[in-house]
Amino acid sequence: MTVAADEVVDLCRDLIRIDTTNTGDLATCAGERGAAEYVAEKLAEVGLEPQIREAAPGRASVVARFEGADPSRGALLVHGHLDVVPADASEWTVPPFSGEVRDGYVWGRGAVDMKDFDAMVLAVARDWRRRGVTPPRDLVLCFTADEEAGSDYGARYLVREHPQLLEGCTEAIGEVGGFSYTVSNDLRLYLIQTAEKGINWLRLSTKGRPGHGSMINDDNAVTALCDAVARLGRHRFPVVVTPTVRAFLEEISEVLGIELDPNDPEAAINKLGPIATLIGATIRNTANPTRLSAGYKDNVIPGRATATIDCRTLPGQSAVFLEQLREVVGPDLDIEFIQNQEPLETTYDGALVDAMAAALRAEDSGARPVPYMLSGGTDAKAWVELGVRCFGFSPLRLPADLDFAALFHGIDERVPVEGLQFGVRVLDRFLRQA
């Protein structure tokens, strides 16, 4: 694996240097075409036949099938997205699209979300093709556009318009899972994603009586909206412990010696250090105000005001969440869905899970794989429409002092060079047994 472990760093750096910023607006997105062409070229160099599919100008995804030894088995979908969220260079220690290697890390937007895994997949596939390795079953390698804005121009487009490229896929691996959480020098938990929250981006709007800004107005749309948004932003929805989160907390309580109170899981979660924020978001539905819009002139009271709310719902909670939301904001606001994607949850069992655990333990004698729920969402929400069972497994061994969760969409995003090389070794072992 020396060649692949060395190459993964260069591949990751190259991908970071291709600006694929996704603003959520077709007019201002950088687009994924350049990265898609790069990926396709790297796959074609070793004899695979990548297909580029473009949902809109510049919004390109790549799919390639790596034929396996047993075509009767269901194919494994190995997926990563090519787009990244915006980055303000003035906030970063290094230029966010430089792909600079510094202090043992590869720095740049997309380093962990998720051009690192794209690079791992490319490195392993290229190495296998050079050495004549055949996977046990078909691998469908998929690199998508638009994951950061709901997948409409990426995974959902492929499912809707080109399902034949995904034919036969029964299971999938992608972000965000397989990363380590250090308990001690000889024990690391590796969090394998078996569930993810739903994405419900909502637009709240109020109507009022427009008028002159100098007049008293007791029917001000901005005031009504701000009252509702403030209530919602401060509200904490009830704790609900799903099977995945319960399994994770039971594992944590055992290895850390923490008493787990089923009625107060936050007491245990608060002792987890940097990942407490990530795990804490998976025990309740959440609703965070993210944008406000109203008015067109400083001295005019507008007749309408709107707010965008980023809501994330637990498995089995979608319907009750809307009822709870309405209770908080009141009956007079209009609620409109911008995105409405259901939460996912699968069981932590089966041959694929066994292969993940075995690969991790083979490369880290202190590894203890555990299931967990991702507080965000991934392209898995599209793949399940084709009946695919999805896991988050993009393996990384991380330094104990790295706040990994803070790197997602944060400044100074970076991935350890040794973590990338570890991920390649684990992925190689896993795919041989998957």
Side-chain angles (χ1 to χ4, degrees):
M1 287 303 297
T2 303
V3 173
D6 289 341
E7 188 179 37
V8 70
V9 175
D10 290 335
L11 291 167
C12 187
R13 297 182 71 192
D14 286 349
L15 285 167
I16 288 171
R17 289 172 180 144
I18 303 171
D19 183 353
T20 54
T21 298
N22 186 354
T23 62
D25 179 1
L26 281 178
T28 56
C29 284
E32 299 85 355
R33 182 79 199 194
E37 290 176 349
Y38 174 87
V39 167
E41 178 184 353
K42 293 299 180 182
L43 294 173
E45 279 180 3
V46 293
L48 291 172
E49 298 179 356
Q51 307 291 314
I52 295 179
R53 294 292 182 269
E54 200 171 62
R59 311 307 305 275
S61 301
V62 184
V63 184
R65 187 173 292 261
F66 192 157
E67 293 185 356
D70 185 356
S72 68
R73 291 184 60 193
L76 177 65
L77 175 62
V78 183
H79 64 97
H81 61 83
L82 297 172
D83 62 322
V84 298
V85 296
D88 182 347
S90 68
E91 300 174 331
W92 285 59
T93 304
V94 303
F97 297 102
S98 66
E100 181 175 335
V101 176
R102 180 189 293 193
D103 301 327
Y105 289 82
V106 179
W107 296 63
R109 178 59 86 216
V112 298
D113 189 14
M114 61 174 300
K115 290 179 177 178
D116 58 338
F117 187 60
D118 296 335
M120 290 182 213
V121 174
L122 284 175
V124 172
R126 284 165 60 81
D127 183 65
W128 281 18
R129 293 291 292 186
R130 292 189 191 105
R131 295 193 290 122
V133 177
T134 300
R137 56 167 161 168
D138 283 7
L139 303 178
V140 175
L141 312 180
C142 188
F143 305 82
T144 60
D146 199 38
E147 190 275 345
E148 297 290 4
S151 307
D152 287 339
Y153 296 102
R156 292 187 179 279
Y157 169 75
L158 293 175
V159 167
R160 184 175 65 249
E161 301 294 336
H162 301 285
Q164 73 281 359
L165 296 177
L166 308 165
E167 185 177 355
C169 290
T170 57
E171 296 171 307
I173 62 165
E175 60 176 351
V176 176
F179 59 92
S180 66
Y181 166 71
T182 299
V183 177
S184 64
N185 288 336
D186 57 359
L187 177 60
R188 277 159 296 281
L189 301 183
Y190 282 85
L191 281 61
I192 295 175
Q193 184 205 320
T194 57
E196 61 181 55
K197 295 178 80 174
I199 300 175
N200 308 107
W201 295 343
L202 303 178
R203 182 177 290 113
L204 305 184
S205 60
T206 56
K207 296 178 181 178
R209 186 177 71 252
H212 199 287
S214 67
M215 302 294 181
I216 295 174
N217 189 319
D218 57 4
D219 187 20
N220 189 313
V222 176
T223 303
L225 180 72
C226 289
D227 283 347
V229 168
R231 288 195 303 273
L232 187 59
R234 291 191 294 264
H235 184 73
R236 293 296 175 265
F237 291 87
V239 169
V240 177
V241 180
T242 63
T244 294
V245 174
R246 182 174 298 280
F248 173 82
L249 292 174
E250 288 172 351
E251 292 272 3
I252 282 288
S253 64
E254 178 182 336
V255 300
L256 296 183
I258 299 172
E259 183 177 352
L260 177 61
D261 180 354
N263 298 316
D264 185 20
E266 286 177 298
I269 292 171
N270 289 338
K271 298 178 182 180
L272 298 182
I275 66 167
T277 301
L278 179 68
I279 303 303
T282 65
I283 60 170
R284 52 166 48 93
N285 300 318
T286 59
N288 285 307
T290 56
R291 301 180 73 177
L292 293 168
S293 178
Y296 52 87
K297 199 171 187 296
D298 293 345
N299 63 348
V300 175
I301 298 171
R304 187 170 185 267
T306 65
T308 302
I309 314 295
D310 185 347
C311 306
R312 307 294 172 123
T313 51
L314 296 168
Q317 288 284 300
S318 298
V320 70
F321 170 73
L322 286 178
E323 296 175 3
Q324 294 169 342
L325 182 79
R326 177 58 78 181
E327 289 178 4
V328 176
V329 302
D332 298 328
L333 275 73
D334 292 329
I335 300 177
E336 173 191 357
F337 281 101
I338 303 171
Q339 285 283 346
N340 185 19
Q341 301 184 23
E342 288 295 310
L344 309 177
E345 187 164 32
T346 188
T347 52
Y348 184 64
D349 56 20
L352 201 69
V353 170
D354 292 342
M356 294 177 198
L360 288 166
R361 293 190 182 107
E363 292 297 330
D364 181 357
S365 60
R368 179 166 176 167
V370 297
Y372 95 110
M373 179 186 294
L374 178 67
S375 60
T378 74
D379 279 338
K381 288 179 168 44
W383 312 135
V384 296
E385 294 180 20
L386 298 178
V388 179
R389 186 185 184 203
C390 297
F391 296 89
F393 186 68
S394 47
L396 285 174
R397 180 169 172 173
L398 302 169
D401 60 351
L402 181 66
D403 188 352
F404 185 60
L407 298 179
F408 285 81
H409 299 189
I411 61 171
D412 288 343
E413 185 179 348
R414 60 199 183 276
V415 63
V417 169
E418 290 183 357
L420 277 174
Q421 294 170 334
F422 171 86
V424 164
R425 296 193 300 271
V426 171
L427 192 61
D428 175 85
R429 288 181 180 274
F430 164 71
L431 292 175
R432 290 174 186 271
Q433 302 299 321

